[in-house]
Amino acid sequence: MRIQVDDVSLFFDVAGSGLVAEGPSMRQRPIVLFIPGGPGQEMSVFKPAFEPLAEVAQLVYIDPRGCGRSDRGDPDRWTLTTWTDDLARFCDALEIDHPVIIGTSFGGMVALSFAAAYPDRPAGLVLAMTGLGMRPGLASAAFGRLHGEAVREVFDRYWQNPNRKTFRDYVRVCLPLYARIHASPDELSRSHLNVELMERFWSGPMRSIDLRDAASRIRCPALVIVGELDPILPPAASEELLAALPPGTGRLHVLPGAAHSGRDLVAAGALDIVREFLLEEPAGPLGLPTR
């Protein structure tokens, strides 16, 4: 399905019922919006691994502008601010009230930015494998500790001197080490990565993102999840994020054996943690009405 949002048409998909029959009434389930990472990735990274959550919520998958099956639009508008506002415009267009936002990696930064810019909109956040921005010192140390000095040097060369050669070396050496459970050939074939967007953003805007102030302004519950073996946004980045949230807002789960991929998190039990978050009592899911 597609919907016009500002100057682009965004592709989205839906799984699960929003309203379910319960005795004499219809009960509203939580609406969960999935924001992929990259930036440059698209919704296929969530399918089918996260679809069991459709048993308790209505799932809405979005390809952000510039990604997947959505319009690419003007590359000058591939910015955190635009993706944040696109999410608000998307919710307005579909009359989605108080969604739970699940953002992975850079998608978590979009989710955090959205919750700060529109604090009354989200019912909750699931911030997976993310942080307040890139922390090259933490990533360099994690790559070195987990994968050796040679890998750490490839990361450092790219981060210190971004160009076509260092980016290609980074993609060849470091990117495959993000995950422990790798995509199958079928998963790779159906994935549409916008490499131009990824290279453009990582070589520039990604290097200046700092969401510390944004994190301090959110008003909804936040579930922070990270794999203990994540080399690019390691647990220390999630701990920094948790500390920046308002007191009592967030909780952190570090999943043993998982690295920086949704497959890793799901294999390590992330779905049970997210399902519990969606079904919290006593006021219904995250305070949503139970009628």
Side-chain angles (χ1 to χ4, degrees):
M1 294 177 283
R2 306 182 70 89
I3 193 164
Q4 190 70 28
V5 171
D6 197 26
D7 60 328
V8 294
S9 174
L10 299 185
F11 187 87
F12 70 100
D13 199 10
V14 178
S17 298
L19 286 173
V20 293
E22 190 171 83
S25 63
M26 300 296 289
R27 179 170 60 86
Q28 174 72 58
R29 282 176 165 175
I31 297 176
V32 176
L33 303 185
F34 286 91
I35 312 299
Q41 289 184 327
E42 39 80 48
M43 68 176 68
S44 71
V45 298
F46 298 114
K47 293 171 168 272
F50 286 80
E51 295 202 334
L53 293 176
E55 298 169 2
V56 297
Q58 185 172 59
L59 313 182
V60 181
Y61 305 93
I62 307 168
D63 281 350
R65 74 165 61 219
C67 304
R69 297 159 185 82
S70 290
D71 291 349
R72 292 208 165 190
D74 181 353
D76 287 338
R77 299 197 70 195
W78 293 344
T79 68
L80 178 58
T81 298
T82 303
W83 287 311
T84 297
D85 292 338
D86 277 352
L87 186 54
R89 289 185 282 252
F90 178 85
C91 290
D92 288 342
L94 291 178
E95 299 183 353
I96 296 174
D97 294 323
H98 305 301
V100 178
I101 315 293
I102 296 182
T104 57
S105 193
F106 179 74
M109 298 179 197
V110 176
L112 193 60
S113 176
F114 173 78
Y118 303 92
D120 296 327
R121 303 290 293 269
L125 302 176
V126 178
L127 306 171
M129 311 176 294
T130 191
L132 299 172
M134 271 301 299
R135 296 296 185 260
L138 296 179
S140 176
F143 271 118
R145 182 178 69 256
L146 296 170
H147 302 292
E149 185 68 14
V151 172
R152 184 191 67 78
E153 289 175 356
V154 172
F155 172 84
D156 288 347
R157 280 196 295 270
Y158 170 60
W159 194 262
Q160 294 162 9
N161 183 25
N163 57 54
R164 286 291 177 88
K165 182 183 185 308
T166 58
F167 178 72
R168 286 196 301 268
D169 290 344
Y170 179 85
V171 170
R172 176 178 56 84
V173 174
C174 296
L175 202 60
L177 299 175
Y178 277 27
R180 299 190 73 200
I181 302 173
H182 292 282
S184 68
D186 284 345
E187 287 175 304
L188 292 173
S189 294
R190 62 181 179 248
S191 177
H192 301 277
L193 178 67
N194 185 343
V195 177
E196 177 192 357
L197 192 166
M198 180 180 175
E199 181 177 5
R200 179 187 180 109
F201 202 83
W202 272 72
S203 296
M206 180 68 91
R207 293 161 182 263
S208 60
I209 290 174
D210 190 336
L211 294 169
R212 187 179 304 276
D213 179 65
S216 72
R217 291 186 279 118
I218 75 161
R219 299 178 186 172
C220 62
L223 175 64
V224 183
I225 303 176
V226 66
E228 67 165 342
L229 304 179
D230 192 324
I232 188 64
L233 284 161
S238 287
E239 292 166 2
E240 180 190 45
L241 167 57
L242 183 70
L245 296 173
T249 299
R251 71 192 76 166
L252 171 64
H253 289 266
V254 180
L255 300 185
H260 192 85
S261 89
R263 295 175 210 87
D264 282 16
L265 295 188
V266 169
L271 291 188
D272 289 339
I273 297 169
V274 174
R275 185 181 289 108
E276 180 182 352
F277 183 69
L278 294 173
L279 295 176
E280 286 182 335
E281 299 294 348
L286 296 174
L288 296 175
T290 55
R291 64 180 180 275

